[in-house]
Amino acid sequence: MKDLDYGPLKALIGVWTGSKGFDVAPEPDGVENNPYYETIVYTTVDDDVTNAESQVLSALHYRQIVRRKSDDEVFHDETGYWMWDPEAEIIMHALTIPRAVCVLAGGKYAGEKTAQGRVIMEVAANIDDADWQIIQSPFMQENARTTAFRHTITVGGGRLAYSQTTQVDIYGKVFEHTDENELALQ
């Protein structure tokens, strides 16, 4: 195994749990609010990823399982990768959910940290962006089209907080579906 530069992603490695989650989702007649708990597991890809013999990335694979507090049912299952390009100072987040939606979000990272020294990472994607895009099945494009995605993570000192907004065109309106939680490293 090489000594890889995971940059700002290094603090994510491990198993995280949190029970302060709150989901605001669209419903045909309004809004559904779901308090939740979750586990996110970030593991290293133990070799660099080299693209076209010139771009070298380090990567973390993750799996996120989210359960409603009201009934203990899984309502979100997500997998993907977080990648770091140290030369370009770019963070990338590639995710897939089993609703036939895939996102490749990205953002510049220039060392942003909180006053407590925690790393702040922000990525975004948009249906019309030339670089950071959203891909979805024909059914989803027709019935629940995701048009934008924003994700912010603050991590360090055994704590992780995130907020995520997915803009969805559903039920004849555009809705900002939001999720946020605070997790602890196990």
Side-chain angles (χ1 to χ4, degrees):
M1 181 172 84
K2 296 179 183 179
D3 186 22
L4 298 178
D5 175 9
Y6 289 97
L9 303 180
K10 185 174 183 173
L12 293 173
I13 299 167
V15 177
W16 297 85
T17 59
S19 61
K20 299 178 182 177
F22 197 75
D23 169 75
V24 179
E27 283 290 314
D29 56 356
V31 176
E32 178 181 3
N33 296 301
N34 289 301
Y36 64 86
Y37 67 97
E38 70 184 302
T39 300
I40 307 174
V41 178
Y42 296 93
T43 57
T44 60
V45 173
D46 290 333
D47 206 356
D48 64 39
V49 178
T50 302
N51 293 326
E53 297 185 15
S54 59
Q55 181 190 43
V56 178
L57 305 176
S58 56
L60 301 180
H61 176 261
Y62 76 96
R63 177 127 189 245
Q64 177 184 28
I65 303 292
V66 182
R67 295 177 181 273
R68 282 187 193 90
K69 285 184 175 182
S70 64
D71 60 11
D72 202 38
E73 292 294 319
V74 172
F75 76 102
H76 186 81
D77 185 336
E78 177 178 309
T79 192
Y81 293 91
W82 281 86
M83 294 153 284
W84 168 238
D85 180 341
E87 187 173 315
E89 296 180 326
I90 293 176
I91 296 170
M92 293 167 270
H93 180 196
L95 68 96
T96 303
I97 58 173
R99 288 179 162 68
V101 176
C102 303
V103 175
L104 178 59
K108 192 82 167 159
Y109 178 75
E112 296 85 2
K113 293 186 177 182
T114 67
Q116 297 79 26
R118 292 205 230 85
V119 172
I120 302 169
M121 296 180 276
E122 297 179 317
V123 294
N126 191 290
I127 194 79
D128 297 322
D129 191 290
D131 296 321
W132 310 112
Q133 297 186 359
I134 300 160
I135 300 169
Q136 50 212 314
S137 70
F139 178 88
M140 293 301 282
Q141 289 181 49
E142 192 68 31
N143 296 282
R145 187 174 193 224
T146 299
T147 59
F149 174 84
R150 290 185 314 273
H151 191 104
T152 302
I153 292 180
T154 303
V155 62
R159 295 180 41 173
L160 181 154
Y162 72 83
S163 64
Q164 179 176 294
T165 301
T166 306
Q167 187 171 300
V168 182
D169 187 348
I170 188 170
Y171 308 128
K173 62 186 173 200
V174 175
F175 188 90
E176 287 200 349
H177 176 184
T178 61
D179 295 288
E180 57 184 41
N181 202 357
E182 294 179 21
L183 300 96
L185 185 60
Q186 300 306 296

